[in-house]
Each structure stands twice: as structure tokens, then as C-alpha cells.
């Protein structure tokens, strides 16, 4: 799957995707559907090689409302939701610095809160969330059949 953004793109193979789903959170007794589609990866390391620092930096800022919601819902503490500018170490031992490292920490934090690493905003889709989610799941199923 390739995601094109005006600040760059990322490309993830279907085999690296563990799950694609709508994002729903429970607030008090009401279930809220967030205007994002979530993608859970098997390993976040592959994303590091597939995204430019410019896009990584931009996505951190575009996904600020998700961090705010996670804090308001008690899914993250205020400290956990802060940008982390430390080095990020991949499972291979490679050290990532700069905006890419901050983005990878951001992905891990959102995964902790909502269970997904990548968030596609509804505004970037050519159809409604449910239809786009069904399309991606169908593509993923088809791609995995040919492995």
C-alpha cells in the first residue's frame, strides 16, 4: 500500500500489515468513531525505511488531535504524549535520529493508546471510512493469497 501526501509518501508491503480497521473509542458509555483508518504493522522498522523525514515531521503535527484525545480519555499520560526527540533504535540495532525518530516514537505511543501504528485521515480518502476500510481489507486478503 502506498500513501501519497503532498509532503512525501510511504510504502508498506501487504505482508507487513497485521490489521486494518476503523478506530473506535468508548467515552463514558458512548462509542466514538474517529475520522481515521488504523493500520497495525507487524514491525515498525519497515516504516522507518519507507518514509521521508519531511513527511514524518508533518504527520506528527497532523496527528496531534489523536494524542490530545488519548490524553483526555486517559489512555496516555500528558508526559507520554510529549514529543520524544531521543534516538530510536530499530530491532536491527540501527539508530535513527531527528524527525524520523520522533515519528517512530509517536507511532509507538499511538499504538499504545489506540492499537495502531499508522493513521489514515478520512479527508485523504476517495470514499467513506467503511468503504475504504473494506477495500483495503479486500486488497490485503488478495495479496496474501498469492504469497
Amino acid at each position: 500500500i502506498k500513501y501519497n501526501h503532498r509532503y512525501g509518501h510511504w510504502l508498506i508491503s501487504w505482508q507487513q500489515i497485521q490489521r486494518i480497521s476503523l478506530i473506535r473509542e468508548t467515552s463514558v458509555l458512548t462509542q466514538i468513531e474517529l475520522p481515521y483508518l488504523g493500520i497495525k504493522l507487524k514491525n515498525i522498522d519497515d516504516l522507518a525505511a519507507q518514509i521521508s523525514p519531511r513527511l514524518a515531521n508533518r504527520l506528527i503535527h497532523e496527528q496531534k488531535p489523536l494524542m490530545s484525545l488519548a490524553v483526555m480519555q486517559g489512555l496516555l499520560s500528558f508526559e507520554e504524549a510529549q514529543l520524544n526527540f531521543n534516538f530510536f533504535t530499530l530491532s536491527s540495532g540501527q539508530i535513527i535520529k531527528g524527525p524520523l525518530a520522533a515519528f517512530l516514537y509517536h507511532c509507538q505511543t499511538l499504538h499504545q493508546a489506540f492499537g495502531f501504528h499508522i493513521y489514515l485521515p478520512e479527508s485523504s480518502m476517495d470514499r467513506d471510512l467503511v468503504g475504504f476500510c473494506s477495500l483495503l481489507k479486500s486488497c490485503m486478503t488478495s495479496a496474501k493469497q498469492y504469497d
Side-chain angles (χ1 to χ4, degrees), residues 76-91:
L76 296 173
S77 68
F78 181 74
E79 291 76 25
E80 290 172 316
Q82 297 298 308
L83 278 177
N84 187 341
F85 292 104
N86 295 325
F87 300 120
F88 188 93
T89 306
L90 300 176
S91 58

Side-chain angles (χ1 to χ4, degrees), residues 6-22:
R6 69 185 216 195
Y7 289 91
H9 71 274
W10 53 253
L11 178 72
I12 298 290
S13 71
W14 292 108
Q15 292 72 25
Q16 290 302 316
I17 297 174
Q18 186 171 345
R19 188 174 78 140
I20 299 171
S21 182
L22 301 174

